[in-house]
Amino acid sequence: MTDLLDLLDVITAEPTAAPQAYTTATNWTPAQLDEAYEALCKRAEVEGTRCGIRFWSHMWATSFATRPTRGAHPMEVVSAHLGCECPRGNACQCVRALVYRAWCGDCAHWTAIRDDESAAVAELHDHCWPGWRDLPLGGTADRGPHWVQAGAPIITERAPRGTRAVAGYSPYGGYDLAAPDHS
């Protein structure tokens, strides 16, 4: 009986206003996209179809590998899996990758859709933190008051294979980005 009651709750729940599928629209916040994704997950769980939901839903959701930054220009990254359901062995031409976009909560600004998470983060920094690419390496050099406020990014030297932008690793709570010649 509990399963039927759960299904009834899902069916009668208020529908979320956010899109229920992949969209290129920029009028949704990450929280709204997550709410829509979680509603779909709950429905799929009750219906017994949860397996592979991230893959077949194509919906935007907060990227599982990042966390939002705080302070000036709080940033979040969302991702969508654009894989297909083609059976193995067929010569499909579907996109088989994650795509990303980044959001600034202060500016309500979305980046373009990117196939690389760090590229989306760098694009958002170009919008929110103009001049960040000219910062000295590390976070301890004289940076000026703008570059030491909460949420400010840092640039670090990285090995060629370790260039992912990492949220919250700046001593100021912002992103730690790879030096431009290594990204």
Side-chain angles (χ1 to χ4, degrees):
M1 189 62 133
T2 303
D3 291 336
L4 290 175
L5 292 175
D6 289 342
L7 184 56
L8 184 61
D9 287 343
V10 168
I11 292 170
T12 60
E14 285 289 321
T16 180
Q20 298 295 305
Y22 178 78
T23 181
T24 59
T26 58
N27 55 323
W28 308 105
T29 67
Q32 291 170 316
L33 295 173
D34 276 344
E35 179 185 339
Y37 179 73
E38 289 303 319
L40 181 66
C41 287
K42 184 175 181 179
R43 183 178 191 105
E45 186 176 328
V46 169
E47 293 173 352
T49 59
R50 185 166 171 99
C51 184
I53 193 168
R54 182 83 166 122
F55 183 71
W56 59 258
S57 74
H58 306 299
M59 291 177 68
W60 291 105
T62 302
S63 182
F64 64 90
T66 63
R67 60 184 179 270
T69 63
R70 302 289 178 238
H73 303 288
M75 299 179 179
E76 289 188 64
V77 176
V78 296
S79 62
H81 197 298
L82 300 184
C84 71
E85 296 181 56
C86 297
R88 291 190 184 274
N90 285 357
C92 82
Q93 296 185 16
C94 300
V95 176
R96 293 180 186 256
L98 288 168
V99 290
Y100 303 89
R101 58 189 340 180
W103 158 266
C104 173
D106 279 354
C107 306
H109 176 80
W110 282 106
T111 64
I113 297 167
R114 302 285 185 179
D115 63 355
D116 178 79
E117 181 183 13
S118 291
V121 171
E123 181 184 330
L124 192 61
H125 278 77
D126 289 339
H127 173 81
C128 297
W129 295 94
W132 74 271
R133 292 176 190 267
D134 299 324
L135 287 171
L137 292 178
T140 58
D142 180 29
R143 297 167 49 97
H146 178 69
W147 298 108
V148 295
Q149 65 180 307
I154 63 167
I155 300 175
T156 53
E157 192 79 39
R158 312 271 189 85
R161 295 193 186 269
T163 59
R164 185 175 165 272
V166 185
Y169 270 49
S170 157
Y172 314 106
Y175 270 87
D176 178 346
L177 298 110
D181 59 338
H182 287 288
S183 56

